[in-house]
């Protein structure tokens, strides 16, 4: 059987090559008849390249058929993985070359053909991935068609840092994270307060991970400090490449926090990032769904390059969403492999044993931010719940007047998308946030904006958190357009709109903050929603409540 397959495949390969060669010779002969030498040269190059590509494909097909003929049935999955890896890697390389303005084949016709094939493959893989998730969650909201990805290429030497982003670690330190294609590049950061003059340096570590046949570059993490608050530092990663700058957050109020969810890497994402960069702020919070790589690991790299201009200059504090899980039926990969390797957060410093949930202080401890994990265990007896109880018990509201929480799947939601998906977590944890007097809870997941009044246990309560859904950063799946008019929580919903955008929470002082939501649908980031908040830690019941003002203005 194996010998017959080998002979047959050899004949197929030889016949294919001979047929292609004959076609090439005929095309060349016709071109000579027209006497166009330049055109002939182009055709010869194109056909020879095509012939070479066909021969390479034929050899690989023969090799795979030999494996199938000789190996047991369980090896078919391994063969499928090889085929997927080869095709997917080549198509992504072609898209990357096109983004750089480079030729893949050396001819215009060849580039157009290959580009069309590569884009068709990308759409096919995206569709299959979405279908897989849809089969697993058959009752999930059906979204509009995907929007095109915005791929950012890397055209610098392998040792040069890319995907640079920063996060805070403790009161006075900053973690610098980046990737190099050169896995032997040093994990060193040099930094100082003047451009090009580095008065200090720090050394960290690096890691890599594999997914199917993808292997990441070296993912470096280095903690620098102690740093002065509200100070601009200049730094260089790995003793190579460009110089970056960052500004540390303030040690006292006021402080401004940008909040975006479900970011992705589309044209709408770029619009959101441009609007954010057009105004000053101190820190960015992201409640899950970062790259939308969805098992296509090179998309983690393009996402990191897209957000680098902002993420390298202000701290980005993130928590996971469902698109970070990246497990598939049959193929047993550990969840969150890419997310945990690339986006290391200060969980250990907050007493958490998982990178999926943690907390940190801002503005010298005036603000305490709790990042919860919607996709980590949260029921009674779970590690996350026990950690949250300890963390909230350690917050002194006399010293910390503002308490903010973020999670991915919203607990309150009147949109048709993802109805009820946060209900189990709400029942398990809502009482803890209420008793701690959390001021505001941000969520993502639903691709729209919605702001609720202060709530506890499905009823308006002036001592409960204000709930805000902001999953509208610019994802590739489109907006969640349908709100349920007669939803039981509709009377609690103060403002809702299905548009892309971002939000800003400016905490002015110990008692007052202002929240604004900026819509992307206009040339400029238009403020569509604004509300003032009063800290729940303030002594006595807020005067606004006695005056009968809506609870969401407290």
């Amino acid at each position: 059987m194996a010998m017959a397959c080998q002979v047959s495949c050899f004949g197929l390969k030889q016949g294919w090559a001979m047929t292609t060669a004959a076609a090439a010779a005929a095309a060349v002969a016709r071109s000579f008849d027209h006497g166009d030498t330049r055109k002939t040269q182009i055709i010869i190059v194109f056909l020879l390249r095509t012939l070479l590509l066909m021969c390479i494909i034929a050899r690989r097909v023969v090799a795979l058929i030999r494996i199938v003929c000789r190996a047991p049935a369980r090896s078919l999955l391994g063969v499928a993985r090889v085929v997927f890896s080869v095709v997917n890697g080549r198509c992504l390389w072609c898209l990357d070359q096109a983004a750089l303005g480079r030729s893949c084949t050396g001819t215009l016709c060849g580039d157009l053909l290959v580009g069309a094939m590569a884009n068709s493959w990308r759409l096919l893989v995206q569709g299959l991935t979405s279908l897989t998730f849809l089969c697993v969650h058959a009752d999930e909201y059906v979204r509009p068609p995907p929007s095109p990805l915005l791929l950012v290429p890397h055209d610098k030497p392998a040792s040069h840092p890319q995907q640079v982003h920063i996060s805070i670690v403790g009161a006075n330190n900053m973690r610098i994270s980046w990737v190099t294609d050169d896995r032997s590049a040093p994990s060193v950061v040099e930094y100082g307060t003047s451009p090009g003059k580095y008065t200090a340096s720090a050394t960290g570590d690096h890691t890599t991970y594999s997914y199917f046949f993808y292997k990441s570059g070296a993912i470096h993490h280095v903690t620098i400090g102690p740093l002065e608050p509200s100070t601009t530092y200049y730094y260089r990663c790995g003793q190579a490449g460009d110089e970056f700058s960052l500004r540390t957050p303030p040690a006292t109020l006021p402080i401004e926090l940008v909040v975006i969810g479900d970011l992705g890497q589309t044209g709408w994402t770029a619009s959101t990032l441009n609007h954010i960069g057009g105004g000053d702020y101190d820190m960015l919070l992201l409640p899950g769904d970062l790259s939308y790589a969805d098992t296509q690991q090179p998309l983690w790299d393009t996402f990191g390059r897209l957000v680098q201009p902002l993420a390298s200059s202000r701290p980005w504090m993130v928590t996971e969403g469902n698109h970070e899980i990246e497990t598939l039926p049959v193929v047993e990969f550990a969840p969150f492999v890419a997310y945990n390797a690339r986006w290391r957060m200060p969980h250990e410093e907050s007493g958490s044993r998982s990178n999926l949930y943690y907390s940190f202080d801002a503005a010298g401890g005036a603000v305490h931010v709790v990042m919860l994990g919607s996709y980590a265990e949260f029921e009674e007896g779970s590690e996350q719940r026990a950690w949250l109880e300890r963390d909230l018990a350690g917050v002194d509201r006399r010293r910390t007047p503002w308490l903010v929480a973020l999670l991915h799947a919203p607990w309150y939601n009147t949109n048709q998308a993802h109805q009820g998906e946060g209900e189990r977590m709400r029942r398990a944890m809502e009482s803890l946030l209420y008793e701690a007097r959390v001021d505001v809870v941000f969520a993502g997941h639903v691709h729209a904006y919605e702001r609720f009044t202060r709530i506890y246990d499905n009823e308006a309560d002036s001592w409960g958190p204000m709930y805000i859904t902001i999953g509208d950063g610019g994802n590739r799946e489109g907006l969640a357009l349908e709100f349920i008019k007669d939803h039981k929580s509709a009377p609690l919903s103060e403002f809702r709109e299905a548009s892309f955008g971002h939000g800003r929470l400016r905490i002015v002082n110990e008692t007052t903050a202002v929240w604004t939501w900026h819509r992307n649908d206009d040339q400029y980031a238009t403020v569509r929603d604004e509300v003032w908040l009063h800290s729940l830690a303030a002594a006595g019941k807020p005067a606004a409540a006695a005056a009968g003002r809506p609870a969401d203005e407290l």
Side-chain angles (χ1 to χ4, degrees):
M1 175 64 180
M3 181 62 71
C5 285
Q6 292 180 36
V7 172
S8 176
C9 290
F10 179 77
L12 173 64
K13 181 174 67 175
Q14 294 295 100
W16 188 6
M18 291 175 64
T19 302
T20 305
V28 172
R30 288 195 299 270
S31 181
F32 272 123
D33 289 341
H34 286 81
D36 191 340
T37 305
R38 178 58 181 166
K39 182 178 178 182
T40 300
Q41 292 175 347
I42 294 175
I43 293 176
I44 292 174
V45 171
F46 173 69
L47 292 176
L48 289 178
R49 286 178 181 269
T50 303
L51 176 60
L52 178 61
L53 179 61
M54 288 181 174
C55 291
I56 292 174
I57 294 174
R59 286 199 300 270
R60 292 182 178 177
V61 169
V62 170
L64 290 175
I65 293 177
R66 287 175 177 171
I67 294 174
V68 172
C69 293
R70 294 177 179 175
R74 58 197 173 105
S75 296
L76 291 175
L77 182 59
V79 174
R81 288 179 179 176
V82 173
V83 173
F84 178 87
S85 175
V86 171
V87 176
N88 194 55
R90 192 66 180 174
C91 285
L92 287 173
W93 178 84
C94 291
L95 291 173
D96 201 36
Q97 294 299 302
L100 286 170
R102 297 173 180 171
S103 173
C104 298
T105 65
T107 65
L108 178 61
C109 294
D111 288 344
L112 292 175
L113 177 63
V114 171
M117 294 173 63
N119 277 292
S120 298
W121 172 258
R122 178 180 63 78
L123 293 174
L124 174 63
V125 172
Q126 286 182 2
L128 291 175
T129 302
S130 300
L131 180 62
T132 301
F133 282 106
L134 184 62
C135 292
V136 176
H137 306 288
D139 57 344
E140 187 172 327
Y141 173 74
V142 179
R143 303 190 177 284
S147 62
L149 295 179
L150 181 63
L151 303 178
V152 179
H154 179 61
D155 56 355
K156 296 182 179 179
S159 61
H160 282 218
Q162 56 170 302
Q163 307 171 50
V164 180
H165 60 270
I166 64 176
S167 56
I168 62 171
V169 181
N172 303 307
N173 296 305
M174 200 79 72
R175 176 177 288 122
I176 314 295
S177 303
W178 73 96
V179 177
T180 57
D181 292 332
D182 180 2
R183 299 186 181 93
S184 63
S187 302
V188 177
V189 172
E190 304 164 286
Y191 60 100
T193 55
S194 298
K197 297 180 180 179
Y198 309 125
T199 58
S201 66
T203 303
D205 56 36
H206 72 271
T207 186
T208 61
Y209 73 92
S210 297
Y211 194 99
F212 279 112
F213 286 85
Y214 171 90
K215 186 171 182 180
S216 72
I219 304 169
H220 305 264
H221 300 286
V222 176
T223 299
I224 64 174
L227 307 175
E228 294 295 323
S230 301
T231 303
T232 298
Y233 286 86
Y234 301 86
Y235 64 98
R236 188 174 66 159
C237 305
Q239 300 176 333
D242 300 328
E243 179 181 74
F244 298 89
S245 67
L246 64 87
R247 193 184 70 200
T248 54
T252 58
L253 297 175
I255 188 173
E256 183 157 327
L257 309 174
V258 164
V259 187
I260 50 173
D262 299 68
L263 191 55
Q265 43 189 312
T266 68
W268 286 117
T269 307
S271 177
T272 298
L273 296 176
N274 287 336
H275 289 160
I276 292 172
D280 197 13
Y281 64 100
D282 299 301
M283 186 183 303
L284 186 143
L285 310 179
L286 203 165
D289 282 359
L290 283 70
S291 70
Y292 283 78
D294 290 333
T295 73
Q296 299 183 70
Q297 296 307 299
L299 293 183
W300 275 107
D301 297 313
T302 56
F303 172 79
R305 295 193 284 265
L306 175 65
V307 302
Q308 176 179 282
L310 295 186
S312 63
S313 62
R314 298 290 187 275
W316 277 42
M317 311 304 292
V318 306
T319 188
E320 89 284 0
N322 56 303
H323 285 274
E324 275 72 68
I325 301 175
E326 295 192 299
T327 57
L328 291 172
V330 181
V331 184
E332 295 294 334
F333 285 112
F336 306 109
V337 171
Y339 171 78
N340 285 332
R342 294 172 181 270
W343 291 84
R344 185 184 297 178
M345 293 291 112
H347 64 279
E348 295 173 335
E349 290 77 7
S350 64
S352 169
R353 298 173 61 182
S354 170
N355 193 49
L356 304 181
Y357 51 88
Y358 62 96
S359 66
F360 62 93
D361 289 333
V367 184
H368 187 70
V369 182
V370 178
M371 309 290 280
L372 298 177
S374 293
Y375 304 96
E377 292 297 325
F378 47 72
E379 301 285 0
E380 186 76 36
S382 66
E383 285 190 10
Q384 181 175 196
R385 182 184 169 85
W387 166 82
L388 180 60
E389 290 177 339
R390 294 192 306 270
D391 185 79
L392 294 177
V395 178
D396 182 355
R397 295 306 296 272
R398 294 169 299 180
R399 177 180 172 273
T400 305
W402 291 96
L403 190 49
V404 177
L406 288 89
L407 49 90
H408 188 63
W411 294 353
Y412 293 95
N413 169 33
T414 68
N415 197 288
Q416 183 177 337
H418 302 300
Q419 265 300 309
E421 291 186 20
E423 181 63 14
R424 285 180 53 241
M425 190 178 188
R426 183 192 71 80
R427 292 179 178 179
M429 289 186 164
E430 185 180 24
S431 61
L432 297 180
L433 301 191
Y434 180 76
E435 292 165 5
R437 295 291 182 259
V438 170
D439 294 286
V440 59
V441 177
F442 294 103
H445 203 34
V446 176
H447 298 167
Y449 172 74
E450 184 167 22
R451 175 176 57 81
F452 291 86
T453 185
R454 293 192 179 277
I455 303 175
Y456 177 60
D457 197 18
N458 287 294
E459 294 183 0
D461 190 318
S462 61
W463 292 97
M466 178 186 295
Y467 287 87
I468 297 175
T469 300
I470 189 158
D472 55 354
N475 62 85
R476 66 173 172 79
E477 294 176 329
L479 292 165
L481 301 172
E482 299 182 34
F483 290 96
I484 303 173
K485 293 183 179 179
D486 58 349
H487 193 279
K488 66 179 182 179
S489 298
L492 305 174
S493 179
E494 298 288 334
F495 188 97
R496 52 189 181 179
E497 181 176 317
S499 298
F500 291 112
H502 76 278
R504 291 173 180 261
L505 179 64
R506 180 170 178 79
I507 302 177
V508 181
N509 53 41
E510 288 76 10
T511 60
T512 307
V514 59
W515 165 258
T516 54
W517 176 64
H518 304 248
R519 186 177 67 183
N520 273 4
D521 285 357
D522 308 286
Q523 182 179 359
Y524 303 100
T526 303
V527 176
R528 286 283 294 143
D529 186 31
E530 179 175 337
V531 61
W532 287 83
L533 295 85
H534 195 282
S535 168
L536 294 180
K541 198 164 187 177
R549 289 172 59 187
D552 63 357
E553 294 185 5
L554 302 179

